[in-house]
Amino acid sequence: MDFIGQDLSGSSFERVKLGGATFRAVSMQDTVFRGVWMNRVVMRGVEMADVDIHGEIGKLTVNGVDIGPYVEAELNRRHPERAKMRPTDPDGFREAWATLERLWDGTVARARGLDPELLHESVDGEWSFIETLRHLVFATDAWIRRVIQGDLAPWHPLDLPWDEMRDTPGIPRDRAARPSLDEVLELRHDRMAGVRALLAGITEEQLASDTVPVADTGGWPEAQAYPLGEVVLGIINEEWEHRLYAERDLDALVKRAGS
């Protein structure tokens, strides 16, 4: 299907496949991309100014220069603990998790200094602080309790999947819920303690093994074997990235409260 000489300004594209599409002489000014896969995208003759990109960036070549290593080096400089978030052995996994728990303690302490109502407010269309914590409960339930520990239905009513995930029977998604910080932290402490206990006795052999597929009940993640080490790495990455998002948004909320 071709769109030539048409004005699609303000259009919304959700769960649309654009793989292999060609954009030529197209204005994308003020366009927002969320949850988008852009692997192997080629851009030529592009004008880019005031562009904000945040996500997992591998090889990214700009005007012939691979900027990926520069981005990695700068992120590690800004966040010295970041290098610990790619562990390769059991002690490294345990250290990474202990570091995350310590950092989250500081972030939660910041949040407690704000009006509790602000913790339900979105910043630039992102999840609120409370919703971020609810999503991390969901991530732990999905990957640790379901995939690794074999619980077919580990969900709590406050679990919050990512926005682009299709509604799945049995998995809650109550965006209208407004639990208190303490209510969500009770869940968080329980889930984080579960990960800590898992890592306390984990071995190199276990990290190198695959998980045992849960029964195929149509839930999520799909009932298949996953590399156990990669599953735990995924949770570590979720915790690390979402804490940075939370800190960024807390900065905005502090300014909002003071204005």
Side-chain angles (χ1 to χ4, degrees), residues 189-238:
H189 292 158
D190 176 73
R191 301 314 193 262
M192 295 187 88
V195 178
R196 190 188 323 125
L198 172 72
L199 294 177
I202 207 161
T203 65
E204 291 191 10
E205 291 74 20
Q206 289 173 320
L207 286 172
S209 67
D210 289 341
T211 62
V212 176
V214 297
D216 189 1
T217 58
W220 191 90
E222 296 179 358
Q224 65 184 58
Y226 298 87
L228 192 147
E230 291 184 13
V231 169
V232 183
L233 270 177
I235 288 295
I236 288 173
N237 182 68
E238 282 278 296

Side-chain angles (χ1 to χ4, degrees), residues 82-109:
R82 186 172 182 268
K84 298 179 181 179
M85 298 301 118
R86 295 293 182 270
T88 58
D89 58 40
D91 286 339
F93 275 86
R94 287 186 278 270
E95 182 181 13
W97 193 254
T99 299
L100 285 167
E101 291 199 85
R102 173 176 58 80
L103 292 173
W104 266 112
D105 283 346
T107 299
V108 169

Side-chain angles (χ1 to χ4, degrees), residues 26-47:
V26 172
S27 172
M28 288 191 167
Q29 185 171 311
D30 300 322
T31 299
V32 176
F33 297 88
R34 295 184 188 276
V36 177
W37 288 265
M38 302 186 77
N39 296 339
R40 298 179 299 281
V41 170
V42 177
M43 300 182 183
R44 296 287 185 266
V46 175
E47 294 184 18

